[in-house]
Amino acid sequence: NRDWYEAVRVIAGTPTYPESNVVRVAREEFELGNYYKALNLFPPEYWIERRVCRVMNTSKDPFKALKSLPKEILYFYVEAYQSYIFNKILSEALKYFKDVETLRNTCETLIVPGSNIILHDDICSSITHEVIEHEGVKLKDFMVKELGIVGKGYVRDSVFRVGGLNLKYGEEGVWFNFRLQRGSYASILLRELFRKV
């Protein structure tokens, strides 16, 4: 949405509790506009956050801070957002069809939105359109010319099969072994396994 400050705030601000106290304080300092202080608090392995802090400290220009990041990092953020939207589309499709079999039979594939996608007049595209609209983005928004980024869309299987699922109980906990087809996410499988826990 070309809100450059919000983009750098999400990268270097937004403190979360799973992180260490030092990193959380660094993020809080960034949010307060104390970019130099945040820069000195972030550990060396937080090089993305440090680079954003360095540029914000010298220029106060969030667009310049984003441009200072490597293209592959910027693409990573766009692709992560595309995956997030795909997961929302998948969730909405499952709610609509009520069960996995009907979903697979009706929408064997679903769209990962991007600038090159054309939505058709069918139920699967309709669900995609509703989610994108709810997110407040348009397909053309995935082309961020200012940063030289083009988030291209593609289709993915709506349902995937899990192969070789094996559970092993040990003193440290439960170990899961399984195989997934390319493009499937272990995090989704684990979320489903632990949904009732």
Side-chain angles (χ1 to χ4, degrees):
N1 290 329
R2 278 68 179 172
D3 186 344
W4 311 125
Y5 178 75
E6 181 61 14
V8 296
R9 191 188 74 76
V10 167
I11 293 168
T14 57
T16 59
Y17 281 94
E19 292 182 302
S20 70
N21 280 344
V22 172
V23 172
R24 200 164 53 251
V25 170
R27 292 188 186 285
E28 288 167 359
E29 291 296 339
F30 184 90
E31 297 238 333
L32 293 170
N34 301 327
Y35 307 123
Y36 185 74
K37 210 170 183 180
L39 169 64
N40 289 314
L41 285 168
F42 276 117
E45 61 269 21
Y46 283 77
W47 65 270
I48 295 170
E49 290 85 347
R50 289 172 59 83
R51 187 176 293 185
V52 166
C53 289
R54 190 173 292 113
V55 175
M56 288 297 288
N57 183 55
T58 57
S59 70
K60 308 285 188 280
D61 184 343
F63 180 73
K64 202 180 236 182
L66 286 173
K67 286 282 281 185
S68 76
L69 295 175
K71 277 263 172 64
E72 58 268 18
I73 297 298
L74 296 175
Y75 269 110
F76 173 77
Y77 292 134
V78 171
E79 289 166 359
Y81 185 57
Q82 288 174 291
S83 293
Y84 165 78
I85 291 179
F86 175 82
N87 288 339
K88 288 188 86 163
I89 292 166
L90 187 57
S91 293
E92 289 303 313
L94 194 52
K95 273 190 226 169
Y96 181 85
F97 293 113
K98 307 273 193 274
D99 65 83
V100 173
E101 286 301 315
T102 309
L103 169 60
R104 185 176 62 216
N105 293 336
T106 312
C107 298
E108 189 177 335
T109 59
L110 288 169
I111 293 169
V112 176
S115 61
N116 60 324
I117 292 295
I118 296 169
L119 295 176
H120 300 285
D121 192 19
D122 59 51
I123 187 60
C124 306
S125 291
S126 174
I127 293 168
T128 301
H129 179 74
E130 283 177 27
V131 170
I132 291 170
E133 197 171 79
H134 186 263
E135 279 292 306
V137 293
K138 295 176 176 51
L139 293 172
K140 67 180 174 64
D141 293 339
F142 289 94
M143 184 181 293
V144 188
K145 289 180 183 173
E146 300 91 332
L147 295 172
I149 301 295
V150 178
K152 292 190 174 181
Y154 54 96
V155 295
R156 283 182 49 187
D157 290 341
S158 59
V159 176
F160 62 83
R161 294 196 184 281
V162 179
L165 180 60
N166 187 7
L167 304 177
K168 183 177 159 187
Y169 298 92
E171 287 184 25
E172 309 89 36
V174 180
W175 293 88
F176 291 87
N177 289 314
F178 51 85
R179 286 186 313 278
L180 298 177
Q181 65 196 47
R182 190 170 184 225
S184 302
Y185 291 96
S187 57
I188 292 173
L189 171 63
L190 294 173
R191 184 189 70 188
E192 293 305 313
L193 288 172
F194 291 108
R195 186 182 290 269
K196 303 284 188 201
V197 176

